[in-house]
Amino acid sequence: MARPEKTVIAFTHGQKHPSTRFRILQYEKFFERQGWKIKTHNFWPRPIPVPANSSAITRFYARAAKFLRTLRVMAALRNHRHAHAILVNREAPSALFPFLKQGKKLIVDFDDAVYLGSEGKNFAKLCQGASRIVAGNATLAAPVRDWNMAATIIPTVVDPNLYHAKKDYALARPARIGWIGSSYSIQDSLFPILPLLADLQRTLSFELVVISHPRPIIQQDGLAWRFLEWSPQTEANLADLIDIGIMPLEDTDYQRGKCGAKLLQYMAASIPAVASPFGVNTDIIRHGETGLLAQNAEEWRTALTCLMEDINLRTKLGKAGQVLVCSDYSVERWGPVWTNLLDGLITSREP
């Protein structure tokens, strides 16, 4: 006998947004098997930045965009007023605030330190009234527990079945050191390490492969790099496109809250990886076992040199990383946690 269908309306940031894909969409089939139907609605239009010296026209369009987005959220809530739960991803639309007083089952899910941004006060208010908070890691969960103790950690995960695993660990000529990520993070995470990579290319034969959307503007003297347009197919074929994956981060409050998605993607494709030792990266990587950690320029130089010179090390780390992802950071591992949370929410007497 088929399970009765339960519905959750999820407010997200579009089909291609990393948070939407990793935190919501890849669970859809799993949820359906457990009797849940996710109905997604995108936040649109996107917020328009309003610097202090903005023109009157810019301020007008920013207010108009916010008003239109609020109307769209309200319309979606009205159309799905019988949904069992409301799931909001990363954002705090004011249109949801009235529902906090109506006993609606509201879940706030986030995978970045959004509480540090300009909408921090709204985010705190939403968390205070939510039935459950779902944070991508312990760093993110810690501050929101001051607002709401009902915080659950569900890490960002990947579906290993979507990635072709690397079989041949021989280096391409030149070798390919790859970075995959969105335009939201490239300037703060990849750009600071570009001078080091350019310097390394003087002694090591490799090119930097940047997989993103849209094409970034990289102005680094002496750096040999190649751009690949992101697509689901490109993502699935990572193992054929790069030899070593990197996840550099700066030691800031915001970047320590990152959830390691690109690191997990490399590992799912059995690609050896090097990452900065901040935040969740130190949970995912056991140095020398599932990857390498590098904090300063000398450690990055050593890690990349060792990997490029030692095929046995590349093979060992690549295969161990894939095993770790399959066991600890997969949709199948964490899907039951999500559905148990949802089932518990709708049977609870709590608002």
Side-chain angles (χ1 to χ4, degrees), residues 250-290:
E250 294 290 281
D251 190 12
T252 65
D253 288 342
Y254 187 81
Q255 295 211 2
R256 283 193 295 272
K258 291 292 182 180
C259 287
K262 58 176 57 64
L263 196 53
L264 298 174
Q265 289 179 280
Y266 304 142
M267 291 178 161
S270 199
I271 299 168
V274 185
S276 299
F278 306 128
V280 78
N281 285 4
T282 58
D283 296 328
I284 298 172
I285 287 187
R286 296 190 291 270
H287 184 70
E289 297 180 24
T290 57

Side-chain angles (χ1 to χ4, degrees), residues 47-106:
I48 298 175
V50 186
N53 60 347
S54 296
S55 66
I57 294 177
T58 298
R59 293 194 298 272
F60 170 78
Y61 277 112
R63 288 194 298 269
K66 184 176 182 179
F67 178 71
L68 179 57
R69 188 165 50 154
T70 298
L71 289 180
R72 285 171 53 85
V73 170
M74 293 174 65
L77 290 170
R78 184 177 63 252
N79 292 338
H80 299 286
R81 58 186 176 276
H82 298 303
H84 294 85
I86 301 168
L87 171 61
V88 58
N89 177 240
R90 288 174 58 97
E91 204 158 318
S94 56
L96 287 174
F97 292 161
F99 287 80
L100 301 180
K101 301 177 181 179
Q102 298 176 16
K104 294 293 185 181
K105 304 294 187 177
L106 175 66

Side-chain angles (χ1 to χ4, degrees), residues 174-244:
R176 303 158 302 179
I177 293 178
W179 182 94
I180 184 171
S182 71
S183 59
Y184 307 103
S185 63
I186 191 169
Q187 188 163 358
D188 293 333
S189 59
L190 179 61
F191 281 17
I193 203 176
L194 293 182
L196 170 63
L197 295 176
D199 183 61
L200 274 175
Q201 285 180 341
R202 298 175 184 174
T203 54
L204 296 175
S205 177
F206 72 88
E207 67 173 353
L208 174 66
V209 177
V210 178
I211 302 171
S212 188
H213 175 81
R215 181 187 179 94
I217 299 174
I218 294 180
Q219 297 175 328
Q220 175 61 51
D221 293 340
L223 179 69
W225 70 286
R226 179 162 55 96
F227 169 70
L228 293 178
E229 182 83 13
W230 177 88
S231 70
Q233 293 74 28
T234 301
E235 194 170 84
N237 292 316
L238 268 180
D240 299 325
L241 303 174
I242 64 176
D243 301 304
I244 299 167

Side-chain angles (χ1 to χ4, degrees), residues 97-129:
F97 292 161
F99 287 80
L100 301 180
K101 301 177 181 179
Q102 298 176 16
K104 294 293 185 181
K105 304 294 187 177
L106 175 66
I107 307 164
V108 176
D109 171 74
F110 68 110
D111 61 349
D112 264 328
V114 292
Y115 45 78
L116 296 175
S118 59
E119 291 294 310
K121 291 183 178 179
N122 277 350
F123 188 77
K125 181 178 179 180
L126 197 67
C127 288
Q128 288 167 356

